[in-house]
Amino acid sequence: MKSLGFIEISGVVAAVNALDTMVKTADVEFVTWERKLGGRLVTIIVEGDVSAVTQAVETAAAQSIKQPCIHAVIARPHEETIKMVSLSASRMKKQEEAQKPKSVSVNEDDPAFSQV
């Protein structure tokens, strides 16, 4: 069963540093992140086995470049909690897709193409 790990910290740089520590410390996967107050408060969410998530979150909290506001591990999260985290992750994916460059198709029969 997967568990969820959360660490909330002030600043995007500190959050990225905490995430890097978590994924290097244990076998956990990044799920999503939430930025509040214009990025001044960032929550990183990871998932994995209970022991791996616990180790990753505790190590990140102890070694972070800023003192975390709070951190937590939820073993066997309720399905409603999973839905909430999944909603956050789907919003992140939509933002990533919106930022991808669009491919442009070229029609060689178009008169504008032959002018180039």
Side-chain angles (χ1 to χ4, degrees):
M1 175 55 96
K2 296 282 184 182
S3 66
L4 296 172
F6 302 82
I7 189 165
E8 190 167 75
I9 197 162
S10 176
V12 174
V13 173
V16 171
N17 180 264
L19 173 61
D20 186 61
T21 300
M22 287 192 281
V23 296
K24 287 179 178 176
T25 299
D27 186 23
V28 296
E29 293 182 24
F30 172 66
V31 177
T32 189
W33 70 324
E34 289 287 332
R35 294 181 298 164
K36 301 296 179 198
L37 303 173
R40 290 183 299 225
L41 194 58
V42 182
T43 304
I44 300 290
I45 305 172
V46 296
E47 73 176 356
D49 294 333
V50 177
S51 60
V53 170
T54 301
Q55 180 183 11
V57 169
E58 288 178 359
T59 302
Q63 296 180 359
S64 61
I65 59 178
K66 284 188 172 182
Q67 182 66 30
C69 300
I70 194 162
H71 60 279
V73 174
I74 301 175
R76 297 184 316 118
H78 189 274
E79 63 185 52
E80 293 299 321
T81 305
I82 294 170
K83 283 181 188 178
M84 183 181 73
V85 171
S86 297
L87 178 63
S88 172
S90 68
R91 283 194 309 255
M92 184 178 75
K93 286 187 187 246
K94 285 180 185 177
Q95 288 175 349
E96 287 174 357
E97 289 174 5
Q99 292 175 353
K100 285 183 182 177
K102 305 290 185 214
S103 61
V104 178
S105 62
V106 177
N107 181 359
E108 292 180 16
D109 295 331
D110 187 355
F113 182 75
S114 62
Q115 295 174 1
V116 177

